[in-house]
Amino acid sequence: MSVKQIFLCGILCLAPAGLLQAEPMRDVVSMVNKLRAENGLHALNVSPQLEKAADLHASDMARRGVLTHTGSNGSTPAKRAKRAGYKFCTVAENVAAGQLSSAEVMQAWANSPGHRKNMLKPKARDIAVVRGPNNNWVMMLAAKRGTC
């Protein structure tokens, strides 16, 4: 092993998996908030409840080898958010698969009219972005009941 390989392993091999996954999610949230600011919209806050719903869906899609808004149990984004304890007045979901970086997934979503519309929902207040197994990405955007 070279010194460079040992150094990288020392950083990456000892870091908790959640820490390695957190950076791409923060990057996407920053990019979404930048896009929203460019369009005169307020920034979104990360929601742990939406993260839970997004994480479960990303893992479910990876397990089944599909890209879909419908869970294996027939769930919808709304049902997943509700199950995670998020009481909403509006909810939307973007999914993607195969992108290797936050920049790639953001570009894919920004270039898709439907996904872009979700990211620019004026009523949205909260966001969650998860990069699951097999590079399955899930973004949830929502607003809690009483804020719409």
Side-chain angles (χ1 to χ4, degrees):
M1 239 186 209
S2 74
V3 173
K4 185 177 179 181
Q5 289 170 316
I6 292 169
F7 176 74
L8 287 174
C9 185
I11 293 170
L12 299 177
C13 296
L14 299 177
L19 181 63
L20 294 176
Q21 291 297 319
E23 197 61 38
M25 275 68 99
R26 282 193 298 265
D27 289 348
V28 174
V29 170
S30 293
M31 288 184 261
V32 169
N33 281 334
K34 182 179 182 226
L35 176 67
R36 290 177 63 84
E38 290 168 354
N39 286 274
L41 297 169
H42 58 271
L44 303 175
N45 298 304
V46 174
S47 164
Q49 293 165 317
L50 292 177
E51 279 184 337
K52 179 181 175 184
D55 186 55
L56 289 171
H57 188 55
S59 295
D60 182 48
M61 287 192 305
R63 192 172 39 259
R64 295 185 296 145
V66 297
L67 182 65
T68 180
H69 293 287
T70 305
S72 58
N73 60 0
S75 66
T76 62
K79 286 181 182 176
R80 289 189 289 277
K82 187 175 179 180
R83 262 192 224 124
Y86 191 96
K87 296 177 181 164
F88 61 89
C89 55
T90 186
V91 66
E93 181 181 75
N94 289 348
V95 295
Q99 291 81 4
L100 301 178
S101 71
S102 53
E104 284 181 35
V105 76
M106 186 61 188
Q107 182 178 15
W109 282 331
N111 290 335
S112 162
H115 294 111
R116 184 180 185 88
K117 181 178 177 183
N118 284 345
M119 292 187 292
L120 295 176
K121 279 186 128 182
K123 291 182 179 181
R125 295 283 181 263
D126 298 315
I127 186 171
V129 180
V130 171
R131 180 182 184 181
N134 303 330
N135 291 307
N136 282 305
W137 297 78
V138 177
M139 174 190 291
M140 294 191 78
L141 306 111
K144 289 185 179 171
R145 207 176 293 151
T147 64
C148 290

